[in-house]
């Protein structure tokens, strides 16, 4: 009897950049930490002058970059949609550094291009703190309710609180399509400032709320999750996680307190996730489809 041992060698992926603005330097440094990832160079669009502080391989022609790379990282908010589509049509996996460049009605057609090409498309959103709690949340079965309480210390430069990261986190946690939402704004005593309250209903029955106060006495950032037999209160500012476990309807709940690790090296985490999505042919952490759902929510907010 002969035993055949097959060694599967993971293909080394070549990654190239479009532009070198934003957090491109952090991604470039992170690439050197990977044995299965190799940097090929950067293409600078005509209206981009970020090449002034760049001294590695540079492509004068966009097609040359596409020919040399398996993955294309798009840096900055002003990336042209045409360049993204050309990369997808050339069957390149993509990582988009700034979600703002695709948070518009073009996201629908981009999703279709990605599906047709069967490539992986990861979107970066460094502000989202969900990286540190995703493994915890996955242990909660049948989540029914999600609530964000976000308060920031008053500043005359800030009339409202940015809740886009919270909306995206709710979409990720609920893992379903939004069927309805309500947005209520309450003018506060400080000129032009508003207290915002948002509610969401999802196709799978999950409900969610966001309360955002730009005129608080102190910063506060909490996430509450109510599931079938658990309830969690996650303090995202203090990095603490309180958990109640209801083992039976009549027994006293078991109380637990954990600390949450900080999440450094976000760019490294994103590259790790993208490589995993490519090799396993699964959805990346924040996919084009997640941004499409986010865009739909924002459009619903605008019409309210």
């Amino acid at each position: 009897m002969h035993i055949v041992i097959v060694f599967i060698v993971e293909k080394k992926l070549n990654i190239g950049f479009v532009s070198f603005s934003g957090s491109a330097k952090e991604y470039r440094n992170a690439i050197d930490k990977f044995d299965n990832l190799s940097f090929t160079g950067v293409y600078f669009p005509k209206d981009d002058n970020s090449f002034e502080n760049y001294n590695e391989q540079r492509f004068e022609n966009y097609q040359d970059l596409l020919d040399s790379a398996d993955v294309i990282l798009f840096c900055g908010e002003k990336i042209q949609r045409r360049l993204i589509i050309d990369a997808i049509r050339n069957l390149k996996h993509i990582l988009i550094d700034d979600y703002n460049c695709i948070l518009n009605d073009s996201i629908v057609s981009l999703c279709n291009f990605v599906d047709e090409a069967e490539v992986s498309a990861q979107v970066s959103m460094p502000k989202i703190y969900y990286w540190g709690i995703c493994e915890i949340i996955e242990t909660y079965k049948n989540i029914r309710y999600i609530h964000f309480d976000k308060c920031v210390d008053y500043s005359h430069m800030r009339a409202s609180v940015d809740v886009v990261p919270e909306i995206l986190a709710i979409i990720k946690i609920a893992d379903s399509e939004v069927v309805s939402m309500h947005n209520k704004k309450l003018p506060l005593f400080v000129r032009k400032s508003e207290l915002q309250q948002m509610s969401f209903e999802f196709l799978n029955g999950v409900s969610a709320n966001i309360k955002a106060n730009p005129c608080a006495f102190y910063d506060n950032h909490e996430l509450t999750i109510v599931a079938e037999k658990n309830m969690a209160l996650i303090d995202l500012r203090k990095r603490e996680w309180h958990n109640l476990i209801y083992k039976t309807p009549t027994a006293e709940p078991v109380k637990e307190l954990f600390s949450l690790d900080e999440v450094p090296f976000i760019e490294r985490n994103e590259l790790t996730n993208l490589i995993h999505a490519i090799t396993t042919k699964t959805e990346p952490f924040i996919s084009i489809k997640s941004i499409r759902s986010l865009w739909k929510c924002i459009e619903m907010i605008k019409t309210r």
Side-chain angles (χ1 to χ4, degrees), residues 99-100 103 124-131 133 137 146 148-150 160-174 196 198 200 202 209-210 212 221-223 236 285-286 290-291 294-295 297-298 301:
Y99 71 96
N100 284 297
L103 196 59
S124 170
M125 199 166 179
K127 290 185 296 183
I128 196 167
Y129 35 74
Y130 185 65
W131 275 109
I133 61 174
I137 292 173
I146 305 161
F148 274 101
D149 189 353
K150 187 174 184 179
S160 61
V161 180
D162 179 19
V163 293
V164 171
E166 284 70 32
I167 297 173
L168 182 55
I170 284 173
I171 290 170
K172 292 289 296 180
I173 297 170
Q196 191 168 12
M198 308 174 70
F200 304 84
F202 289 86
N209 285 280
I210 299 173
H221 208 174
E222 293 181 342
L223 166 61
L236 296 159
F285 180 62
I286 300 180
S290 297
I291 302 301
L294 175 63
W295 173 76
C297 281
I298 292 175
I301 292 170

Side-chain angles (χ1 to χ4, degrees), residues 36 112 129 141 172 203 268 290:
N36 56 348
N112 294 334
Y129 35 74
K141 305 300 181 183
K172 292 289 296 180
L203 187 62
R268 194 185 304 178
S290 297

Side-chain angles (χ1 to χ4, degrees), residues 2 51 119 144 167 186 261:
H2 297 282
F51 61 83
V119 296
R144 309 315 305 160
I167 297 173
L186 174 65
D261 295 334

